[in-house]
Amino acid sequence: MLLKWLFGNSKPIEMRKYLIVGLGNIGNEYLKTRHNIGFEVIDFMAKKFEVQMTNLKLATKGSFNHKGKKIILLKPSTFMNKSGKSVRYWALKENIALQNILIITDDLNLPLALLRIKGKGSDGGHNGLKDIESQLNTTHYPRLRFGIKNDDKTFNQVNFVLSKFTEKEEEKVNKKLPECNEIVLSYIQMGLERTMNKFNTKPPIEKS
C-alpha cells in the first residue's frame, strides 16, 4: 500500500524513484571514520555506476537509472545530527514515497561489517536516525545498518564512532561494500521483505 506521508502534496508520488541516503559528517577530518560508513557506501555506488555527485542544497546528490528505476544517491551536508533536514527536503522535492527511502547508517550494536536491512525500528541512540525520525514523523522507514562494533568494552562512544578504522578493520569494511551495493539493488528491484530474507543471515561462528 502506498504510504502518503506528505499530506497536501499536489504532485503524484513516483513509485519508480528511490532515495538512497548514506549518513555521515562532511569534512576531511571525518573521512574513513566509523560514523561515515554511509558516505562510503554511497561513494562506492557512485563510482560503480559512474554517477557524478554534485553539491546542492543540504546534500551532495547524484542519480542513475537501473532496470527501469531511478536511483537517487544522497549524502547529507547538514552534519549527522541534522540528517533528517536533508532527507526530508530531498524526499519532498523528488516526491519520493516513504517506503522508497533507504537510510544507510553505522550501527554500534552490530559486530564489525555485519549487515542488516530493516523496514522500521528505533534510533538506537543514533543521532542521525533520531533526527530523521523527527523530520519524517515516523520510525517506519527502511534502513541498512552496517556494524561498527569491536570487542573493546571500555571505549568512549562519541570518540569511538568519530575515530578511523584500523587497517585490519578497513579491509573487512571494504570487502562488504559490494554486498551493500547488492542489498540496495535487491531492495529496489525485489522489495524489502525478499531482501531481508536473502541477506539478513545469522553471523558466522568464528573459530577460536
Side-chain angles (χ1 to χ4, degrees):
M1 182 177 67
L2 176 63
L3 299 177
K4 288 190 175 181
W5 61 284
L6 175 58
F7 296 103
N9 183 23
S10 60
K11 297 181 181 178
I13 293 179
E14 177 53 69
M15 293 306 296
R16 288 186 170 272
K17 190 184 289 186
Y18 290 79
L19 184 64
I20 311 301
V21 184
L23 299 188
N25 288 305
I26 59 173
N28 291 334
E29 65 268 36
Y30 297 108
L31 288 176
K32 300 294 183 179
T33 58
R34 302 169 200 276
H35 225 19
N36 269 38
I37 191 61
F39 277 13
E40 289 197 47
V41 176
I42 294 297
D43 288 341
F44 178 88
M45 293 190 67
K47 183 177 181 180
K48 180 176 178 64
F49 293 99
E50 300 180 341
V51 177
Q52 181 177 350
M53 301 293 289
T54 305
N55 293 327
L56 298 171
K57 183 175 180 179
L58 302 178
T60 301
K61 174 178 171 283
S63 65
F64 66 101
N65 295 317
H66 184 75
K67 296 184 178 180
K69 307 291 178 64
K70 182 174 182 179
I71 302 172
I72 299 170
L73 303 178
L74 196 77
K75 300 195 311 184
S77 57
T78 51
F79 286 101
M80 184 66 79
N81 293 0
K82 296 296 182 181
S83 298
K85 184 177 181 181
S86 176
V87 173
R88 178 178 173 83
Y89 175 83
W90 284 106
L92 298 184
K93 188 173 180 63
E94 295 286 349
N95 294 301
I96 308 288
L98 179 62
Q99 65 267 39
N100 286 9
I101 301 171
L102 177 65
I103 307 298
I104 304 171
T105 179
D106 60 289
D107 194 312
L108 192 57
N109 298 309
L110 291 179
L112 180 66
L114 183 65
L115 304 175
R116 286 288 184 269
I117 183 169
K118 296 177 59 180
K120 60 181 180 179
S122 69
D123 58 62
H126 191 290
N127 288 330
L129 297 182
K130 188 178 298 183
D131 193 59
I132 291 171
E133 177 184 335
S134 174
Q135 290 287 333
L136 301 186
N137 198 31
T138 182
T139 60
H140 287 70
Y141 61 86
R143 73 282 308 270
L144 173 57
R145 300 151 60 209
F146 195 116
I148 62 169
K149 182 180 179 182
N150 69 10
D151 295 329
D152 186 358
K153 306 296 184 183
T154 62
F155 61 79
N156 175 280
Q157 181 171 322
V158 174
N159 292 338
F160 179 75
V161 298
L162 293 179
S163 66
K164 296 183 183 296
F165 291 110
T166 66
E167 185 174 336
K168 185 176 181 180
E169 288 173 332
E170 191 168 353
E171 287 180 8
K172 293 184 68 173
V173 167
N174 289 338
K175 287 180 181 178
K176 280 291 184 175
L177 294 179
E179 185 175 344
C180 288
N181 177 71
E182 290 179 31
I183 292 174
V184 172
L185 296 181
S186 173
Y187 152 76
I188 291 169
Q189 299 297 335
M190 298 170 51
L192 180 63
E193 292 299 326
R194 290 176 65 184
T195 301
M196 289 172 61
N197 292 335
K198 181 178 180 180
F199 289 97
N200 285 356
T201 55
K202 294 182 180 180
I205 300 175
E206 295 187 4
K207 295 181 181 180
S208 58

